[in-house]
Amino acid sequence: MFSTAEIGIDLGTANILVYSKGKGVVLNEPSVVAIDTNTNKVVALGHEAKRMIGRTPDNIETIRPLKDGVIADYDITTSMLRTIMKMTSKKLGMSLRKPNVVICAPSGATSVEKRAIEDAVKSSGANQVFLIEEPVAAAIGADLPVDEPIANVVVDIGGGTTEVAIISFGGIVSCQSIRVGGDQFDDDIVQFVRKKYNLLIGERTAEEMKIEIGYALVKHEEVKINIRGRDLVTGLPKTISVSSYEMQEAMQDSLLQILEAIRATLEACPPELIGDVVDRGVLLTGGGALMNGLQDWLREEIVVPVHIAPNPLESVAIGTGKSLSIINKLLQAAR
Ligand code: ADP
Ligand code: MG
């Protein structure tokens, strides 16, 4: 009997992941494509394309077609998804003919934006497409009991956005989405280094600095690294030493915006659920959850327990995958 392939996709601003039933996460690539501007063809995708950022000749452009969690460039997103489907087929060693796809959309997305995600997946060759709210997927992926009448608070810090949601009984009770995430931190670092040292650095360097010496908590043991950039005064290459204290200073405003979003969501929590929040706390997920000192800093600020998801970069993809089985049941019921 012919059975339809089923996959879950986390179409993130920074990373795109594919989950296949029974196999787990089979593909994990940065959401970056390199396009030949003469032919409009995708010449590289994912890690390969990300390495090219800021290093390409005139005819090659590196593009991140998703912005703030939603599609910014529809055609390129479709090309990217098509390539992703091909790569997934190759990984699985079978052709993915018209798979059924579960894909997540940020809870802050408008209906037009959600529709665009659905259409893009369809035109990349999918059969049926199911949308799931991203924070719900993240919670399912982290094994929270989302279908019980218990407050589950998820803070998903991705590349473009941070989403804070209270989920109970399978749905979102209250949520906030702000356009502050990993990309903003990178930009904060570029601006900081430019202002303080008159040194121009690229976004890749800024991201590496953030991952290596970015700290959310003021109190920590100082770490320093050397970085290279272009001296804006002499125009020549220059190496400077940067400290983790400076990183904290650079990212402070953005960190505070994330804290405010968490506070505002907790303030909007229905009274009956407050007890759960105090007991069970908040779960951090998304790549931003991995920032040094973030857990301790938030714990100090919001005075409820703060946990980090077992695999923050994969929670959403795992959640879309797990929800495949629920969707199967729905499909069978509809038959
Ligand atoms: P999205 O869902 O938007 O694709 P992800 O959840 O994949 O985003 O997270 C990507 C973001 O996480 C990027 O901005 C990346 O720089 C950041 N990130 C990854 N690892 C770390 C780390 N160890 N410390 C801080 N930020 C990190
Ligand atoms: Mg995400």
Side-chain angles (χ1 to χ4, degrees):
M1 201 187 83
F2 175 76
S3 73
T4 319
E6 276 153 1
I7 56 173
I9 301 180
D10 171 8
L11 186 63
T13 309
N15 296 297
I16 175 161
L17 286 82
V18 178
Y19 184 103
S20 164
K21 211 174 104 189
K23 296 230 164 68
V25 175
V26 289
L27 191 130
N28 183 350
E29 296 278 345
S31 326
V32 184
V33 281
I35 303 273
D36 183 333
T37 49
N38 295 329
T39 61
N40 259 335
K41 284 231 163 76
V42 174
V43 292
L45 182 147
H47 290 105
E48 202 187 336
K50 189 170 177 182
R51 269 195 296 275
M52 295 180 176
I53 292 178
R55 302 166 175 242
T56 53
D58 281 351
N59 65 318
I60 308 279
E61 201 184 340
T62 51
I63 300 175
R64 291 178 56 188
L66 293 137
K67 221 181 166 175
D68 303 327
V70 293
I71 295 176
D73 189 321
Y74 184 82
D75 293 337
I76 294 186
T77 304
T78 315
S79 309
M80 182 170 82
L81 281 167
R82 245 184 236 130
T83 314
I84 290 284
M85 297 285 198
K86 271 190 213 139
M87 289 165 84
T88 308
S89 297
K90 221 174 176 183
K91 274 261 167 72
L92 292 174
M94 62 174 210
S95 97
L96 269 188
R97 281 205 18 210
K98 294 254 162 206
N100 286 337
V101 178
V102 178
I103 189 159
C104 55
S107 53
T110 64
S111 53
V112 174
E113 290 166 337
K114 285 183 179 161
R115 184 65 190 272
I117 294 174
E118 198 176 331
D119 289 348
V121 180
K122 279 220 171 108
S123 60
S124 71
N127 179 25
Q128 305 219 44
V129 180
F130 305 92
L131 284 184
I132 171 171
E133 305 228 51
E134 211 160 317
V136 177
I140 295 174
D143 276 330
L144 294 185
V146 288
D147 46 2
E148 288 174 37
I150 293 177
N152 298 281
V153 187
V154 175
V155 179
D156 180 358
I157 308 175
T161 54
T162 294
E163 302 217 340
V164 190
I166 302 178
I167 302 160
S168 173
F169 216 49
I172 291 177
V173 175
S174 145
C175 77
Q176 285 255 334
S177 173
I178 55 166
R179 308 209 154 180
V180 175
D183 294 343
Q184 182 64 49
F185 291 137
D186 300 347
D187 194 47
D188 291 343
I189 294 170
V190 171
Q191 302 303 337
F192 180 89
V193 172
R194 182 205 288 254
K195 252 200 205 137
K196 182 155 178 189
Y197 295 103
N198 261 317
L199 192 77
L200 188 66
I201 57 167
E203 61 181 81
R204 295 282 328 266
T205 303
E207 185 183 22
E208 283 164 18
M209 291 162 75
K210 171 186 73 180
I211 291 174
E212 217 164 302
I213 59 163
Y215 274 79
L217 191 67
V218 181
K219 271 184 290 166
H220 66 266
E221 204 165 312
E222 188 182 22
V223 204
K224 286 183 167 183
I225 54 166
N226 287 335
I227 54 148
R228 283 180 297 188
R230 186 171 67 216
D231 188 320
L232 286 165
V233 180
T234 64
L236 296 171
K238 189 175 165 187
T239 304
I240 58 162
S241 163
V242 184
S243 140
S244 52
Y245 291 154
E246 292 175 299
M247 292 297 96
Q248 196 280 333
E249 192 185 332
M251 300 186 296
Q252 204 170 39
D253 287 350
S254 304
L255 285 165
L256 286 174
Q257 287 185 50
I258 291 178
L259 175 63
E260 270 323 300
I262 300 175
R263 282 219 175 102
T265 313
L266 295 185
E267 271 168 27
C269 180
E272 295 290 4
L273 292 175
I274 289 172
D276 293 345
V277 177
V278 173
D279 292 344
R280 303 164 44 81
V282 166
L283 181 86
L284 302 180
T285 183
L290 294 166
M291 178 171 298
N292 301 305
L294 185 70
Q295 184 181 20
D296 292 336
W297 175 63
L298 286 175
R299 205 182 270 144
E300 274 181 15
E301 295 291 336
I302 55 179
V303 235
V304 299
V306 177
H307 311 284
I308 300 181
N311 196 344
L313 285 159
E314 292 188 351
S315 309
V316 170
I318 296 171
T320 56
K322 282 191 181 164
S323 62
L324 281 169
S325 57
I326 304 169
I327 277 144
N328 255 334
K329 277 186 209 145
L330 292 177
L331 275 177
Q332 268 160 14
R335 261 177 216 139

